[in-house]
Amino acid sequence: MNQFAKSALIKSIVVTALLTLILTACDKKEEAATPAAAAPAATAVAGKEADTCATVKFADIGWTDITATTALSSTVLEGLGYKAESTIASVPIAFAGLKKGQIDAFLGYWSPSMTPIVDPFLKDKAITVLDRPNLVGAKYTLAVPKYAYDAGLKSFADIGKFTKELDGKIYGIEPGNDGNKLIADMITKDAFGLKSFKMVESSEAGMLTEVSRSVKDKKWIVFLGWAPHPMNVQQDIVYLSGGDDFFGPNYGEAKVFTVTSNDLAARCSNVNKLMTNIEFNVGMENEVMLPIMDKVNPNQAAKAWLAKNPESLGKWLAGVNTKDGQPGLEAVKKYLGV
């Protein structure tokens, strides 16, 4: 081999070696930068939930039933090692918070009365409504004291006949509420001859105070009523018939759904599993609401109820772990002291 050939061979070997070193270094750099390689450290390890899921944020619209169900869910989450926070908001703001990811879950989508508020969010695919309702057998429509019902105020069509007795008023709850909107629509459309009526907005507590005062004085009043709620046992009230076109059939028969932010299932799958599992019933909610209405802290009321009724936990916690990836049912029972 001549000197030129030897020189060319040496150069070729050196260039090949350098290229090999460069490519090897690049491969290692790419492996280190690949998201898939980093993912296990950022998400769960052996079933653990990511640290970004440590605090679960709920919306509470100030209805005692939603306060009760939120407290029940929050108590279970705390037993699983999470922190739960509730933000008081109107119905539209609650859904806007879900859309923006400021809220993780809302347990109070009453269907069908809230559907006009929810539909724009669903059309934009901005929120996720879980398939199975968390409560069935609810109702939401106008109600009156039984003495008014017995005197002839039995249906929506009768309201206008008793304008004087009712002082031309229908009592709603907080501004922005779906029920208030339905009342306003009836008045605007002069449905049932209600054009001269005025809707009184306040809050759940404010409305119930007005109902209690009216019942005490045997005054007539028509107001938004719903079940589950202690009002159904604290006052002798009757729901009006004939409001199907506005509140839905069967005295405003309702189902209540859980709504989550769109990313909850992917981001916090364990929390989402709990939200999917949780179901309530009318009797349960009434029992938790009673102490809350007597000024007991909602979480204390929920924890006391769960401690007395741990059988509810089995279904709720099926397939659910603690934040650290341990069996959920045992952890929550220990937290409750049962």
Side-chain angles (χ1 to χ4, degrees), residues 99-222:
K99 176 181 178 179
K100 295 176 182 177
Q102 298 167 338
I103 299 296
D104 295 312
F106 172 52
L107 301 171
Y109 166 24
W110 279 63
S111 175
S113 65
M114 285 186 187
T115 299
I117 296 174
V118 177
D119 271 349
F121 293 94
L122 292 177
K123 287 178 182 177
D124 290 342
K125 297 182 179 179
I127 58 175
T128 298
V129 178
L130 300 187
D131 292 335
R132 187 171 56 193
N134 65 49
L135 178 70
V136 296
K139 65 173 66 175
Y140 186 47
T141 188
L142 295 183
V144 297
K146 190 173 185 300
Y147 54 81
Y149 180 88
D150 291 340
L153 180 45
K154 300 178 182 292
S155 72
F156 278 63
D158 294 326
I159 297 173
K161 302 174 185 177
F162 298 100
T163 303
K164 182 178 179 180
E165 288 85 349
L166 296 167
D167 196 24
K169 297 175 182 177
I170 301 175
Y171 286 82
I173 44 180
E174 76 280 351
N177 170 267
D178 53 305
N180 289 12
K181 185 179 184 303
L182 295 174
I183 294 170
D185 286 348
M186 289 192 302
I187 293 172
T188 299
K189 295 175 181 178
D190 194 24
F192 313 109
L194 298 179
K195 191 173 183 178
S196 64
F197 271 72
K198 175 184 177 183
M199 178 177 59
V200 180
E201 294 185 310
S202 57
S203 64
E204 176 191 322
M207 182 198 73
L208 291 174
T209 296
E210 194 64 37
V211 172
S212 295
R213 186 181 297 121
S214 296
V215 169
K216 181 180 179 181
D217 297 336
K218 286 293 187 284
K219 290 176 60 178
W220 286 39
I221 185 171
V222 58

Side-chain angles (χ1 to χ4, degrees), residues 19-35 37-38:
L19 285 172
T20 301
L21 288 170
I22 291 169
L23 290 171
T24 300
C26 288
D27 287 343
K28 289 181 178 179
K29 187 175 181 180
E30 287 179 3
E31 288 175 5
T34 301

Side-chain angles (χ1 to χ4, degrees), residues 45-95:
V45 177
K48 289 185 179 180
E49 195 93 281
D51 288 341
T52 53
C53 303
T55 299
V56 182
K57 296 167 288 186
F58 289 97
D60 183 347
I61 57 174
W63 297 6
T64 308
D65 61 302
I66 307 304
T67 299
T69 55
T70 301
L72 287 165
S73 303
S74 297
T75 300
V76 173
L77 282 165
E78 288 168 1
L80 294 170
Y82 296 87
K83 180 181 178 182
E85 294 180 352
S86 295
T87 298
I88 300 295
S90 66
V91 174
I93 292 176
F95 286 108

